[in-house]
Amino acid sequence: MEVDLNCDLGESFGVYQLGNDQEMMKYITSANIACGFHAGDPITMRDAVLLALANKVSIGAHPGLPDLRGFGRRNIHISPKDAYHDVVYQIGALEAFVRSEGGLLTHVKPHGALYNLCAVDMATAEAVAEAVYRVNPNLYLYGLSGSRLIEAGRKLGLKTINEVFADRAYMENGTLAPRHLEGSVISDEIASINQVLQLVLDKRVKTITGTEIPLQADSICLHGDGIKAVEMARIISTTLKDNGVLIKPFF
């Protein structure tokens, strides 16, 4: 049994620092680096790429909505045409830094509100998947497990990664519980670890209403911006290994 551990990184901007990228790199196998739309800037992007290369962590683009003020988490209307062009643009920006440092871009994972929209709206999902495919059909596409984005990627022949979350609650339809709902973000360490073990070992998850649903867990997202993010990453990594799970990237 094996699983990939991924984290959204490079999400600082200018003088504003978010997360501890250097420490998180020690516990993950794949990094999704912000591309300047919801967070990140040229220096931050290059620094994150260098950290990933130094730690032998797979590098992916993390495109989001053009929403620095809202960190890409606000529900801003975007047409499929705009989604396509914005994603192509952001992949290209990060890939330039990766290639200039002798690395290889391996995957793409949308961020925040764009990620959630792709999970349920097929037109947007198809536009984002098409953007990834047209840039490089060999890139892996991360999406919410069982979502429209996974479906759209597979239709194009992309290699897809069903992603699950250690610190987010689920609705009964498999989508993430909206952040405004109480209990949508799991802050309790034991609850988070138990959810990870259930997802990886049983391929199931308990929803916010208490029912259980099946979910494929190819990769676990570990958010890097929490107060205890590094400690949780260490505990989750250790717990998985103690339960016989091999932690490795898919690339």
Side-chain angles (χ1 to χ4, degrees):
M1 190 172 295
E2 59 188 44
V3 72
D4 168 60
L5 295 184
N6 80 80
C7 186
D8 306 337
L9 299 173
E11 293 185 316
S12 298
F13 183 80
V15 298
Y16 301 100
Q17 299 299 305
L18 186 66
N20 190 336
D21 291 2
Q22 186 168 351
E23 289 300 310
M24 287 298 295
M25 289 286 184
K26 298 176 181 179
Y27 303 106
I28 63 174
T29 47
S30 300
N32 321 304
I33 299 176
C35 305
F37 272 39
H38 75 276
D41 55 59
I43 293 177
T44 300
M45 291 166 69
R46 180 174 181 267
D47 286 347
V49 166
L50 291 174
L51 277 175
L53 291 173
N55 287 273
K56 296 181 172 55
V57 169
S58 296
I59 303 173
H62 195 40
L65 296 178
D67 180 28
L68 281 172
R69 186 175 182 181
F71 196 63
R73 287 177 175 164
R74 295 186 293 184
N75 293 320
I76 298 173
H77 173 73
I78 185 171
S79 68
K81 181 179 179 180
D82 283 343
Y84 171 86
H85 288 93
D86 285 357
V87 171
V88 169
Y89 183 95
Q90 292 177 79
I91 295 173
L94 184 69
E95 187 172 32
F97 284 109
V98 177
R99 293 183 64 181
S100 70
E101 299 299 334
L104 177 69
L105 190 71
T106 59
H107 65 280
V108 176
K109 173 191 164 182
H111 166 82
L114 179 59
Y115 181 96
N116 292 332
L117 182 59
C118 287
V120 297
D121 183 75
M122 183 53 83
T124 307
E126 289 176 340
V128 170
E130 179 73 16
V132 175
Y133 183 84
R134 293 287 294 273
V135 171
N136 182 352
N138 293 314
L139 290 171
Y140 283 73
L141 176 62
Y142 279 63
L144 185 67
S145 183
S147 67
R148 296 294 190 187
L149 185 57
I150 295 295
E151 182 181 347
R154 286 177 176 168
K155 283 183 180 179
L156 286 174
L158 287 170
K159 294 163 286 190
T160 56
I161 302 294
N162 284 281
E163 182 184 38
V164 296
F165 288 76
D167 61 353
R168 294 295 307 279
Y170 283 84
M171 304 297 285
E172 292 184 3
N173 63 358
T175 60
L176 298 179
R179 286 180 176 268
H180 69 269
L181 291 181
E182 184 178 353
S184 62
V185 177
I186 303 171
S187 56
D188 180 76
E189 294 180 10
I190 301 300
S192 181
I193 292 167
N194 287 339
Q195 176 159 297
V196 167
L197 289 175
Q198 185 183 33
L199 282 162
V200 176
L201 301 179
D202 301 333
K203 301 189 185 304
R204 302 183 65 81
V205 69
K206 182 180 289 186
T207 69
I208 200 167
T209 61
T211 59
E212 290 189 359
I213 59 172
L215 276 184
Q216 175 66 31
D218 299 328
S219 182
I220 301 168
C221 176
L222 306 177
H223 283 117
D225 55 347
I227 297 175
K228 297 183 178 180
V230 174
E231 178 65 11
M232 279 304 301
R234 184 190 64 79
I235 293 173
I236 289 172
S237 175
T238 300
T239 301
L240 287 170
K241 291 175 182 176
D242 288 346
N243 281 269
V245 179
L246 177 65
I247 299 174
K248 64 184 292 293
F250 280 84
F251 321 112

